């Protein structure tokens, strides 16, 4: 009888252990983008996305994050809808017309098991700025500006389709 109880306990232990490993190695059905940045004042960041690199960005295809101003780096998280496989992004780095500098340490794309991180010079190589941003590559700082009364600072990703496909692959 003791042998049967020990055998059942051993099987239970093995089953629980395998379940935990499977969950941590699972690829999610959704993408998360985490931007590690220093933003000094409260603001709103948005990411527009397109599942086709040739299509325009549509207002209904965006995710939003409220940002609290801090003197230290913080993680700004964006979770995309399930079964959305964006091939390009437009990261709007502020809606509140703040003409201040933000620093971006890294931009991380993740599906749980797989991730791709852009940091340092990789940010400048994989994302380009528009006319409302003055980019300093040595510090990865982005100085946002109002031009002729208009304000729309954003970063455009280059073609990330290969990276995205790899994130959703085993």
């Amino acid at each position: 009888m003791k042998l049967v109880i020990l055998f059942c306990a051993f099987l239970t232990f093995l089953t629980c252990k395998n379940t935990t490993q499977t969950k941590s190695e699972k690829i999610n059905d959704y993408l998360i983008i985490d931007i590690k940045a220093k933003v000094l004042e409260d603001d709103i960041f948005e990411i527009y996305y397109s599942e086709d690199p040739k299509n325009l960005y549509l207002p209904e295809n965006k995710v939003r994050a409220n940002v609290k101003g801090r003197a230290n780096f913080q993680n700004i998280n964006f979770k995309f809808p399930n079964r959305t496989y964006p091939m390009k992004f437009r990261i709007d780095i502020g809606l509140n017309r703040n003409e201040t500098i933000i620093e971006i340490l890294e931009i991380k794309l993740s599906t749980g098991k797989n991730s791709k991180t852009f940091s340092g010079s990789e940010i400048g190589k994989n994302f380009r700025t528009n006319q409302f941003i003055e980019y300093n590559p040595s510090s990865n700082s982005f100085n946002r500006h109002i031009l002729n009364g208009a304000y729309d600072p954003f970063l455009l990703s280059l073609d990330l389709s290969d990276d995205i496909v790899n994130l959703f692959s085993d």
Side-chain angles (χ1 to χ4, degrees), residues 6-42:
L6 283 173
F7 181 71
C8 289
F10 180 71
L11 282 178
T12 303
F13 174 76
L14 284 178
T15 304
C16 291
K17 186 176 178 185
N18 286 339
T19 303
T20 304
Q21 286 177 344
T22 302
K23 282 185 179 180
S24 67
E25 295 176 0
K26 180 183 176 212
I27 296 175
N28 298 324
D29 286 340
Y30 55 86
L31 178 70
I32 293 175
I33 294 184
D34 183 43
I35 300 173
K36 191 168 199 169
K38 187 186 297 184
V39 183
L40 299 177
E41 61 282 310
D42 294 355

Side-chain angles (χ1 to χ4, degrees), residues 33-38 73-76 91 103-109 116-120 122-123 127 140 142:
I33 294 184
D34 183 43
I35 300 173
K36 191 168 199 169
K38 187 186 297 184
F73 283 96
Q74 61 182 301
N75 291 320
I76 306 165
I91 304 173
E103 293 177 55
I104 297 179
L105 196 59
E106 66 182 29
I107 300 172
K108 181 179 179 181
L109 288 58
K116 170 69 177 169
T117 302
F118 300 97
S119 59
E122 290 179 317
I123 294 173
F127 297 87
N140 274 337
F142 300 82

Side-chain angles (χ1 to χ4, degrees), residues 64-98:
R64 175 181 273 205
N66 292 319
V67 179
K68 287 285 185 190
R70 294 197 179 115
N72 299 321
F73 283 96
Q74 61 182 301
N75 291 320
I76 306 165
N77 298 296
F78 300 88
K79 181 182 173 193
F80 288 74
N82 283 354
R83 301 192 194 314
T84 300
Y85 308 105
M87 294 294 142
K88 66 178 184 175
F89 308 97
R90 176 184 136 168
I91 304 173
D92 286 30
I93 56 172
L95 299 181
N96 291 340
R97 300 178 73 84
N98 295 318

